[in-house]
Amino acid sequence: MTAETQGRPMRADARRNYEKLVAVATESFLAHGPDASLDDIAKRAGVGPGTLYRHFPNREALLDAVCVRWADSVAADAAPLLEAADPTAALNDWLVRLVDHVSAFKGLASALLLSTDRKHDTAWVLHHTSEELVERAKAAGGIRADVTTSELMQLTSGISYACGHSKQAGKPTSTPERLIGLIMDGVRTR
Amino acid sequence: MTAETQGRPMRADARRNYEKLVAVATESFLAHGPDASLDDIAKRAGVGPGTLYRHFPNREALLDAVCVRWADSVAADAAPLLEAADPTAALNDWLVRLVDHVSAFKGLASALLLSTDRKHDTAWVLHHTSEELVERAKAAGGIRADVTTSELMQLTSGISYACGHSKQAGKPTSTPERLIGLIMDGVRTR
DNA sequence: CAACAATACGGAGACTGTCTCCGCTTAGCA
DNA sequence: TGCTAAGCGGAGACAGTCTCCGTATTGTTG
């Protein structure tokens, strides 16, 4: 579900433009936040606005495409953690990284942690990765069995949001590590 | 710091328009979210855009004015909790209410929980109220002494955000009670 | 109560961004 | 080499933000 929703493959020029758009959009969103001008992105990518809007009917769609790629790279980051000796510590670690990644991505991605369906989409990758880590921690008896992955995702995404915003408001803010720590304290078996 | 930053009082017509604008803006923001058209708000309030922009130089300013009133009413809600027999339960209760209020306010207010300065502003009222409840709970030995009010505000605002978003994404979502519960579990003395 | 500042009003319009429509171009196939 | 479906891109309609400035209103002072 990248672009051609099945059917014949994209024409070469179309694919080229598609890739260029996603690349430029990534830059632009990072530089100017999720409100970056779409016409501007089109211009930088060397295509007309019409082309952009054919590939991505609205801002959301483009944002999604950008985030999907991003999510893949983030999820890849988790691979070593899946084999860590202490699964609970690994989960903690992962959640902190997740917050960092999401923050680095300005908040483009914060909404993503929240949905659990959308088969192939961004959220799925992250949710799935998290789930594995959660299961391992539960199996090892490190965290309470009644806590769900979704709940942790909600809390984590909330923390990203909160850290991002209070940081940009210039306020001294507790670190993600600290806040995740508090949550883990509530979730750990005793 | 409502409108006249000291100096002579506002002229009668100016005050009238100011009030009307805040009232209409509240409705509009609730109805259409924080992106409601400002020109439209002006029109509904029966004034020209120029008038709106003189009173509120930008969207943020108007949003602030709306939120200040809202925060006062929310804070008033906490009065009984300040004398509750079990301060820890009272804190829990308050945090849940806070999330509910913020969610009801669409997310207009979620950013507000985060700043701790801004003397008179919205955030202050809420932060201050929370602080009292936190102090009482600490004094009663119900929660850890190392946890700060800011931290709880960050987590709470995060939860509002997360609940608001996953709800509107149509996903089955854990209740605010549950999530606040998890946090309280991490924060309670054992 | 008249007249005059000071204050406030409001709408025209400049500007920016979103998104669509459609005539033209190009890739890919026979 | 030529045809056709797929794709392109820019002109422009529309909506929202915000400013500028001539006009109207308030409240004060003689």
Side-chain angles (χ1 to χ4, degrees):
Chain A
M1 185 192 168
T2 355
E4 71 283 8
T5 317
Q6 289 298 44
R8 48 211 84 270
M10 281 173 117
R11 238 170 66 171
D13 52 348
R15 157 126 268 134
R16 215 170 23 243
N17 284 332
Y18 182 95
E19 300 296 345
K20 192 77 198 288
L21 279 167
V22 174
V24 171
T26 304
E27 268 181 56
S28 272
F29 286 139
L30 282 174
H32 309 113
D35 290 333
S37 156
L38 297 188
D39 275 24
D40 182 65
I41 290 173
K43 194 171 300 168
R44 285 168 194 271
V47 305
T51 300
L52 185 150
Y53 284 97
R54 190 161 358 80
H55 285 300
F56 311 97
N58 50 44
R59 162 172 257 105
E60 183 82 15
L62 180 53
L63 225 33
D64 262 22
V66 167
C67 287
V68 168
R69 312 215 155 174
W70 167 84
D72 284 339
S73 77
V74 172
D77 203 34
L81 292 176
L82 281 168
E83 288 146 32
D86 178 349
T88 309
L91 175 60
N92 191 326
D93 224 53
W94 162 248
L95 294 180
V96 171
R97 286 193 204 186
L98 204 45
V99 171
D100 285 345
H101 275 118
V102 171
S103 304
F105 219 52
K106 285 260 161 102
L108 298 194
S110 55
L112 299 176
L113 301 186
L114 299 175
S115 65
T116 53
D117 60 352
R118 302 222 263 170
K119 290 253 177 56
H120 253 246
D121 275 20
T122 329
W124 179 247
V125 183
L126 297 179
H127 189 91
H128 180 74
T129 304
S130 303
E131 184 117 77
E132 293 189 68
L133 286 158
V134 169
E135 290 309 329
R136 280 192 82 224
K138 279 188 189 174
I143 67 170
R144 290 158 47 175
D146 69 310
V147 174
T148 69
T149 306
S150 298
E151 282 162 356
L152 286 176
M153 291 292 92
Q154 282 187 268
L155 291 167
T156 304
S157 106
I159 289 176
S160 308
Y161 169 79
C163 288
H165 277 250
S166 45
K167 188 170 296 168
Q168 90 180 38
K171 266 293 96 187
T173 217
S174 298
T175 62
E177 288 82 10
R178 165 74 174 159
L179 297 176
I180 293 286
L182 288 175
I183 285 173
M184 288 298 289
D185 287 344
V187 152
R188 230 183 301 267
T189 50
R190 335 187 188 290
Chain B
M1 186 192 167
T2 354
E4 71 283 8
T5 317
Q6 289 299 41
R8 44 211 88 269
M10 279 175 119
R11 239 170 66 170
D13 52 348
R15 158 124 268 135
R16 217 173 19 244
N17 284 332
Y18 181 94
E19 301 295 345
K20 193 76 199 290
L21 279 167
V22 174
V24 171
T26 304
E27 268 180 57
S28 272
F29 286 140
L30 282 174
H32 309 114
D35 289 332
S37 156
L38 296 188
D39 275 24
D40 182 65
I41 289 174
K43 195 172 299 168
R44 284 169 195 271
V47 305
T51 300
L52 186 151
Y53 283 96
R54 191 159 358 80
H55 284 302
F56 311 99
N58 49 45
R59 162 174 258 105
E60 182 83 15
L62 181 52
L63 226 34
D64 262 21
V66 168
C67 287
V68 167
R69 311 213 156 174
W70 167 85
D72 284 339
S73 77
V74 171
D77 204 32
L81 292 176
L82 281 168
E83 287 145 31
D86 178 348
T88 309
L91 175 61
N92 191 326
D93 224 54
W94 162 249
L95 294 181
V96 171
R97 288 194 202 187
L98 205 44
V99 172
D100 285 344
H101 276 120
V102 172
S103 303
F105 218 52
K106 288 261 159 97
L108 298 195
S110 55
L112 299 176
L113 300 186
L114 300 175
S115 66
T116 54
D117 61 352
R118 300 225 264 170
K119 289 253 176 59
H120 252 247
D121 274 19
T122 328
W124 180 247
V125 183
L126 297 179
H127 189 92
H128 180 72
T129 304
S130 304
E131 183 116 77
E132 292 189 67
L133 286 159
V134 169
E135 289 310 328
R136 280 192 82 224
K138 279 188 189 174
I143 67 170
R144 288 156 52 172
D146 68 309
V147 174
T148 70
T149 306
S150 297
E151 281 161 359
L152 287 175
M153 292 292 93
Q154 282 187 269
L155 291 167
T156 305
S157 106
I159 289 176
S160 308
Y161 169 79
C163 288
H165 275 250
S166 44
K167 188 170 297 167
Q168 88 179 40
K171 267 293 100 191
T173 213
S174 298
T175 61
E177 288 81 11
R178 165 74 173 158
L179 297 176
I180 293 285
L182 287 175
I183 285 173
M184 288 298 290
D185 286 345
V187 151
R188 230 184 301 267
T189 51
R190 339 186 185 288

